[in-house]
Amino acid sequence: EGELTVEAKVRYSGRPAEAVISQLEGNRVKVSFKDKQRAITKGQSVVFYQGNIVVGGGIIEEIL
């Protein structure tokens, strides 16, 4: 519940970027990156980390 600050990685070869994830209805989350990210597209995976621990992830459905 609430918001969680994480490092999010969109591509396998991408660098993790600071982001905040917020829980939405239907087992979904909203990802808000601190800095603008380039070339994010629907269907890509995103993985959330805190240090070396994977705290979650999913498939990108919508880009706002």
Side-chain angles (χ1 to χ4, degrees), residues 10-11 33 35-41 44:
V10 177
R11 289 174 202 74
F33 285 95
D35 296 317
K36 187 173 180 177
Q37 302 297 300
R38 71 180 218 24
I40 295 176
T41 59
Q44 287 181 310

Side-chain angles (χ1 to χ4, degrees), residues 5-63:
T5 300
V6 297
E7 288 193 320
K9 189 172 173 181
V10 177
R11 289 174 202 74
Y12 173 77
S13 61
R15 294 185 351 178
E18 186 176 342
V20 174
I21 54 175
S22 307
Q23 185 175 356
L24 302 174
E25 291 183 22
N27 203 26
R28 297 171 59 197
V29 296
K30 175 182 177 182
V31 181
S32 301
F33 285 95
K34 179 180 177 184
D35 296 317
K36 187 173 180 177
Q37 302 297 300
R38 71 180 218 24
I40 295 176
T41 59
K42 294 180 189 179
Q44 287 181 310
S45 295
V46 59
V47 181
F48 312 123
Y49 300 88
Q50 284 192 320
N52 292 328
I53 299 172
V54 174
V55 295
I59 305 296
I60 297 169
E61 295 180 346
E62 183 178 7
I63 300 164

